[in-house]
Amino acid sequence: MTLRSSVVFIAAALVLTGAMATASAQYRPELVGVWKGTLSNGARVLPDDPTPTYYNALDPQLEITMTIIGQDDRSFHGVMGNHEEREYVVGVVREDGKTLLMADDDGYKSATILTPSTMEYCVQVASGDHMVAACGVLEKQAEEKN
Protein backbone atom coordinates (compact mmCIF):
# COMPACT_ATOMS: atom_id res chain seq x y z
CA MET A 1 0.00 0.00 0.00
CA THR A 2 1.42 3.37 -0.96
CA LEU A 3 1.59 6.35 1.32
CA ARG A 4 -1.12 8.11 -0.70
CA SER A 5 -3.55 5.16 -0.53
CA SER A 6 -2.85 4.83 3.20
CA VAL A 7 -3.75 8.49 3.75
CA VAL A 8 -6.95 8.11 1.68
CA PHE A 9 -7.90 4.97 3.63
CA ILE A 10 -7.32 6.67 7.01
CA ALA A 11 -9.27 9.78 5.93
CA ALA A 12 -12.18 7.64 4.74
CA ALA A 13 -12.20 5.71 8.03
CA LEU A 14 -12.25 8.96 10.03
CA VAL A 15 -15.14 10.37 7.98
CA LEU A 16 -17.12 7.14 8.38
CA THR A 17 -16.46 7.07 12.14
CA GLY A 18 -17.57 10.71 12.46
CA ALA A 19 -20.73 10.07 10.46
CA MET A 20 -21.61 7.05 12.61
CA ALA A 21 -21.04 9.03 15.83
CA THR A 22 -23.22 11.89 14.56
CA ALA A 23 -25.99 9.50 13.53
CA SER A 24 -26.02 7.74 16.89
CA ALA A 25 -25.92 11.03 18.83
CA GLN A 26 -28.93 12.34 16.90
CA TYR A 27 -31.18 9.36 17.66
CA ARG A 28 -34.10 10.11 19.92
CA PRO A 29 -37.14 7.98 20.62
CA GLU A 30 -40.61 9.15 19.57
CA LEU A 31 -42.29 9.55 22.95
CA VAL A 32 -45.53 11.43 22.17
CA GLY A 33 -48.49 9.21 22.97
CA VAL A 34 -49.91 7.15 25.80
CA TRP A 35 -47.74 4.64 27.69
CA LYS A 36 -49.32 2.19 30.17
CA GLY A 37 -48.09 -0.49 32.54
CA THR A 38 -47.74 -1.50 36.17
CA LEU A 39 -45.17 -1.02 38.87
CA SER A 40 -44.18 -4.63 39.46
CA ASN A 41 -40.98 -4.42 41.52
CA GLY A 42 -39.87 -2.21 44.37
CA ALA A 43 -41.00 -1.16 47.82
CA ARG A 44 -42.90 1.66 49.49
CA VAL A 45 -43.47 3.02 52.97
CA LEU A 46 -46.59 5.14 53.45
CA PRO A 47 -47.43 7.56 56.28
CA ASP A 48 -50.20 5.33 57.64
CA ASP A 49 -48.13 2.11 57.38
CA PRO A 50 -44.40 2.28 58.20
CA THR A 51 -43.94 -1.38 57.24
CA PRO A 52 -42.50 -1.71 53.71
CA THR A 53 -44.91 -2.99 51.09
CA TYR A 54 -43.43 -4.75 48.08
CA TYR A 55 -44.98 -3.88 44.73
CA ASN A 56 -44.95 -7.47 43.47
CA ALA A 57 -47.23 -8.35 46.42
CA LEU A 58 -49.85 -5.70 45.63
CA ASP A 59 -53.14 -7.05 44.37
CA PRO A 60 -54.01 -5.44 42.05
CA GLN A 61 -50.69 -4.02 40.96
CA LEU A 62 -50.45 -0.24 40.70
CA GLU A 63 -51.21 0.86 37.15
CA ILE A 64 -49.30 3.79 35.66
CA THR A 65 -50.31 5.90 32.66
CA MET A 66 -47.87 8.37 31.14
CA THR A 67 -49.21 10.64 28.41
CA ILE A 68 -46.49 12.53 26.58
CA ILE A 69 -48.16 15.63 25.15
CA GLY A 70 -45.22 17.31 23.47
CA GLN A 71 -41.64 16.64 22.46
CA ASP A 72 -38.99 19.00 21.09
CA ASP A 73 -35.91 17.03 20.09
CA ARG A 74 -34.81 15.40 23.38
CA SER A 75 -37.04 17.48 25.70
CA PHE A 76 -40.61 16.43 26.50
CA HIS A 77 -43.57 17.09 28.81
CA GLY A 78 -46.82 15.43 29.74
CA VAL A 79 -48.92 14.05 32.56
CA MET A 80 -48.56 10.82 34.44
CA GLY A 81 -49.98 8.96 37.35
CA ASN A 82 -52.45 6.29 38.33
CA HIS A 83 -56.17 6.06 38.99
CA GLU A 84 -55.74 8.16 42.17
CA GLU A 85 -53.71 11.13 40.94
CA ARG A 86 -52.09 12.59 37.84
CA GLU A 87 -49.27 15.11 37.78
CA TYR A 88 -47.50 17.26 35.24
CA VAL A 89 -44.06 15.91 34.30
CA VAL A 90 -41.10 17.33 32.38
CA GLY A 91 -38.20 15.32 31.06
CA VAL A 92 -35.20 14.90 28.84
CA VAL A 93 -33.77 12.04 26.79
CA ARG A 94 -30.10 11.59 27.58
CA GLU A 95 -27.54 11.62 24.77
CA ASP A 96 -27.60 7.81 24.55
CA GLY A 97 -31.15 8.01 23.15
CA LYS A 98 -32.37 5.37 25.63
CA THR A 99 -32.33 6.95 29.09
CA LEU A 100 -35.10 9.34 30.19
CA LEU A 101 -34.86 11.61 33.23
CA MET A 102 -38.09 13.15 34.56
CA ALA A 103 -39.32 15.31 37.42
CA ASP A 104 -42.69 16.20 38.88
CA ASP A 105 -43.97 17.67 42.17
CA ASP A 106 -43.37 14.43 44.08
CA GLY A 107 -39.92 13.40 42.98
CA TYR A 108 -37.80 11.97 40.25
CA LYS A 109 -38.54 9.39 37.64
CA SER A 110 -36.36 7.67 35.08
CA ALA A 111 -36.89 5.25 32.26
CA THR A 112 -34.88 3.15 29.86
CA ILE A 113 -36.17 2.60 26.34
CA LEU A 114 -36.17 -1.17 25.74
CA THR A 115 -37.77 -1.14 22.28
CA PRO A 116 -39.54 1.62 20.32
CA SER A 117 -42.78 0.62 22.09
CA THR A 118 -41.60 -0.43 25.60
CA MET A 119 -39.70 1.23 28.40
CA GLU A 120 -38.73 0.29 31.94
CA TYR A 121 -40.09 3.13 34.10
CA CYS A 122 -38.80 3.78 37.64
CA VAL A 123 -39.90 6.17 40.36
CA GLN A 124 -38.11 7.42 43.47
CA VAL A 125 -39.76 9.45 46.22
CA ALA A 126 -38.29 10.37 49.60
CA SER A 127 -40.60 12.66 51.54
CA GLY A 128 -40.25 12.15 55.28
CA ASP A 129 -42.53 9.23 56.15
CA HIS A 130 -43.41 8.53 52.49
CA MET A 131 -40.81 6.61 50.49
CA VAL A 132 -41.03 4.78 47.17
CA ALA A 133 -38.56 3.02 44.92
CA ALA A 134 -40.24 0.99 42.21
CA CYS A 135 -40.01 -0.02 38.53
CA GLY A 136 -42.22 -1.57 35.88
CA VAL A 137 -42.56 -1.87 32.13
CA LEU A 138 -44.74 0.60 30.20
CA GLU A 139 -45.99 -0.11 26.68
CA LYS A 140 -46.84 2.53 24.12
CA GLN A 141 -50.50 2.27 23.22
CA ALA A 142 -51.66 2.21 19.61
CA GLU A 143 -53.20 5.47 18.45
CA GLU A 144 -56.98 5.40 18.29
CA LYS A 145 -58.34 5.82 14.76
CA ASN A 146 -61.48 7.94 14.38
Side-chain angles (χ1 to χ4, degrees), residues 1 15 18 33 41 54 94 102 109 115 122 135 139:
M1 188 182 280
V15 168
N41 293 287
Y54 295 101
R94 293 192 59 170
M102 298 167 272
K109 286 98 172 95
T115 71
C122 298
C135 294
E139 294 185 9

Side-chain angles (χ1 to χ4, degrees), residues 53-70:
T53 301
Y54 295 101
Y55 277 87
N56 61 344
L58 293 178
D59 186 21
Q61 290 185 322
L62 186 60
E63 291 186 11
I64 297 292
T65 299
M66 176 168 60
T67 304
I68 302 299
I69 299 167

Side-chain angles (χ1 to χ4, degrees), residues 32-53:
V32 173
V34 178
W35 299 76
K36 290 185 178 186
T38 58
L39 293 178
S40 55
N41 293 287
R44 69 181 185 185
V45 173
L46 301 176
D48 58 346
D49 184 5
T51 305
T53 301

Side-chain angles (χ1 to χ4, degrees), residues 21 43 45 47 70 131-132:
V45 173
M131 296 177 287
V132 174

Side-chain angles (χ1 to χ4, degrees), residues 7-126:
V7 169
V8 170
F9 177 75
I10 291 170
L14 289 174
V15 168
L16 183 59
T17 302
M20 288 172 37
T22 301
S24 66
Q26 292 176 348
Y27 173 76
R28 66 167 173 77
E30 293 295 329
L31 300 172
V32 173
V34 178
W35 299 76
K36 290 185 178 186
T38 58
L39 293 178
S40 55
N41 293 287
R44 69 181 185 185
V45 173
L46 301 176
D48 58 346
D49 184 5
T51 305
T53 301
Y54 295 101
Y55 277 87
N56 61 344
L58 293 178
D59 186 21
Q61 290 185 322
L62 186 60
E63 291 186 11
I64 297 292
T65 299
M66 176 168 60
T67 304
I68 302 299
I69 299 167
Q71 181 175 356
D72 181 14
D73 192 33
R74 292 176 24 220
S75 304
F76 62 92
H77 73 279
V79 292
M80 66 183 324
N82 55 44
H83 65 279
E84 295 174 1
E85 68 180 89
R86 299 191 42 90
E87 295 183 348
Y88 192 74
V89 64
V90 295
V92 64
V93 179
R94 293 192 59 170
E95 190 69 30
D96 65 7
K98 294 182 179 186
T99 307
L100 284 60
L101 302 177
M102 298 167 272
D104 66 16
D105 287 344
D106 284 338
Y108 304 101
K109 286 98 172 95
S110 63
T112 302
I113 300 296
L114 304 173
T115 71
S117 62
T118 60
M119 70 172 75
E120 180 183 35
Y121 164 79
C122 298
V123 58
Q124 299 170 329
V125 176

